[in-house]
Amino acid sequence: MQCDVVVIGAGAAGLSLAWRLLAPPAGVAAPAVALVDAPPGPLRTPPRTWCYWERGAGDYDRLLTASWGRLRLHAPGGRALHRDLGGLRYKMLSSDAFARGLRPKLTGLRRVEAVAREIIDGPDGVTVICRAADGTEHRIRARWAFDSRPPSPAPPARVGLLQHFKGWFVHTERASFAPGAVDLMDFRTAQPSHGLSFGYVLPLTPHRALVEYTEFSAAPLSDDSYDEALRHYTGSLLGLRSFHVHAVEQGRIAMTDARHPRRAGRSTFRIGSAGGAVRPSTGYAFAAIQRQTKAVASLVHAGREPLPPPAYPRRSLAMDAILLRGIDTGRISGPDFFTRLFEEVPAERLLRFLDGGTGPLDEFRIGLHTPVLTMLRTTAELPLLGRRT
């Protein structure tokens, strides 16, 4: 098969890039695009939920599960902090709805259901060798390749934590949720000896919500431990007495200061989480994926080398490394840190900061609401640490 662009992986990054490539500006011909998606099984990404925030209407509003204009945080002692998002909306999108919604826009896309086994990268293009479930081999030749699969092994890092979680989509008999606000972080959960934990509630109706238990720590829990934590959170803290779990969501996200090379070869690039789209301090990635894929598609349409732009400014990643090191060493209490920021920094500014959209002056002001001496000590220590896989 011959095409202009081959995209490996049909998650948020792969589908977003394929759609944008096939929707060029007026007067520009759409490139021929092939999308390699793993067959059903362990190599295909399971259904998941993405959350992000943006101002006003967005490209995927008609596909959203829900959106909210207010956030709430529960401090470790139980105090509830309510914040209005101003002009921003916090949005929830399921991967299934995303894929269904983009399907009509992918006319002309060549889909190959197979596992990419090898990428042969040359000066004038690439050849991607794939194997289908029945053993059939496919060779796809293209000018450019974009790989959204996580690299293995992971890039070396000085600091490495996991954000790992399990969530229940619950339906209650009695009205139990206030759909007007998201519980972004509920620190009333029992805190682990190393790291932090919190509850997370996305209310869909008075009777339906996604309720998650999340930890930032070195290793994931067993399924039984997640279920025990969720039973305690839903029962003792949320007061849910009678409910039905109709779906489960589970995952883990690397929170590291690893450097993610966006170029994997002369004509091969990494996008999505493989290209550094995950914000290390929060695990959010969807908004950065949209920025990144939009920029890449524009470069392809313009006939230029489509090197993906950095997902976040370097100074944002440096601040993330300091925070993660502080939490990892126990010098910084994660619940106290995030509670103070949420309490003292306007929510809209804080969300822009978490998305890498603030300037140095705003970041300096936000930094004054952190444990400055501890942050400075950690800043001085980081250059002395070695990176390891």
Side-chain angles (χ1 to χ4, degrees):
M1 180 189 298
Q2 184 76 39
C3 60
D4 299 310
V5 178
V6 57
V7 179
I8 303 171
L15 287 178
S16 297
L17 179 57
W19 164 53
R20 295 183 188 280
L21 287 170
L22 294 171
V28 176
V33 181
L35 178 69
V36 179
D37 188 15
L43 294 181
R44 178 173 286 190
T45 304
R48 60 184 57 194
T49 297
W50 300 305
C51 286
Y52 60 102
W53 49 88
E54 64 183 342
R55 184 178 300 277
D59 291 329
Y60 309 116
D61 278 8
R62 65 184 180 85
L63 307 176
L64 296 177
T65 304
S67 70
W68 302 267
R70 291 184 62 80
L71 300 179
R72 181 169 53 231
L73 180 144
H74 286 275
R79 183 165 48 98
L81 305 173
H82 300 259
R83 292 294 179 267
D84 189 279
L85 296 185
L88 298 178
R89 297 287 294 180
Y90 191 84
K91 301 182 177 183
M92 175 185 183
L93 175 64
S94 76
S95 58
D96 286 344
F98 180 71
R100 286 195 305 270
L102 284 189
R103 195 172 296 134
K105 300 182 179 184
L106 298 178
T107 302
L109 179 69
R110 307 175 190 179
R111 283 183 176 267
V112 178
E113 194 171 271
V115 175
R117 295 294 188 185
E118 185 180 3
I119 301 176
I120 302 172
D121 198 309
D124 299 319
V126 297
T127 299
V128 179
I129 302 174
C130 311
R131 190 171 298 278
D134 63 1
T136 303
E137 183 178 276
H138 300 271
R139 287 178 172 258
I140 306 172
R141 296 175 179 83
R143 178 65 186 92
W144 306 111
F146 296 92
D147 194 349
S148 65
R149 300 170 301 170
S152 182
R158 296 169 296 186
V159 183
L161 294 173
L162 283 177
Q163 178 182 158
H164 51 97
F165 55 89
K166 185 172 185 177
W168 289 344
F169 287 86
V170 302
H171 187 282
T172 61
E173 293 183 3
R174 297 185 304 171
S176 304
F177 305 104
V182 168
D183 279 303
L184 189 66
M185 288 180 162
D186 187 341
F187 291 119
R188 295 176 295 170
T189 53
Q191 295 300 313
S193 58
H194 189 83
L196 65 98
S197 75
F198 56 89
Y200 177 49
V201 182
L202 296 170
L204 308 177
T205 73
H207 295 269
R208 295 172 51 244
L210 169 59
V211 181
E212 287 191 350
Y213 174 80
T214 300
E215 278 195 15
F216 294 1
S217 60
L221 307 178
S222 67
D223 273 347
D224 288 344
S225 296
Y226 286 119
D227 288 340
E228 181 181 352
L230 279 166
R231 283 193 294 268
H232 176 263
Y233 184 56
T234 54
S236 299
L237 298 178
L238 298 183
L240 305 184
R241 293 290 173 254
S242 179
F243 61 86
H244 169 66
V245 178
H246 61 86
V248 175
E249 175 175 279
Q250 190 166 352
R252 63 184 71 172
I253 302 169
M255 305 178 72
T256 79
D257 69 340
R259 297 165 180 161
H260 294 270
R262 290 161 286 133
R263 183 189 287 274
R266 189 174 296 184
S267 300
T268 305
F269 307 96
R270 292 194 174 99
I271 56 172
S273 60
V278 176
R279 183 71 194 261
S281 61
T282 65
Y284 286 101
F286 190 80
I289 286 171
Q290 300 313 306
R291 294 193 298 268
Q292 195 178 62
T293 55
K294 185 176 182 179
V296 166
S298 295
L299 291 170
V300 171
H301 294 151
R304 298 167 57 190
E305 182 184 68
L307 175 65
Y312 303 100
R314 292 180 64 180
R315 63 179 182 275
S316 297
L317 299 179
M319 288 185 285
D320 285 357
I322 296 166
L323 173 60
L324 292 176
R325 174 64 178 174
I327 292 175
D328 194 35
T329 59
R331 294 183 198 133
I332 293 175
S333 164
D336 292 342
F337 180 92
F338 287 110
T339 297
R340 184 176 176 186
L341 284 184
F342 197 82
E343 186 171 26
E344 299 180 0
V345 179
E348 185 172 356
R349 182 187 302 167
L350 181 59
L351 290 181
R352 285 193 293 107
F353 167 70
L354 294 177
D355 210 22
T358 49
L361 180 58
D362 270 341
E363 290 161 7
F364 174 75
R365 290 171 176 165
I366 291 171
L368 296 177
H369 299 284
T370 68
V372 176
L373 294 180
T374 301
M375 300 289 275
L376 289 175
R377 174 187 173 186
T378 306
T379 302
E381 176 186 74
L382 270 175
L384 306 178
L385 302 177
R387 293 182 180 271
R388 60 186 186 277
T389 301

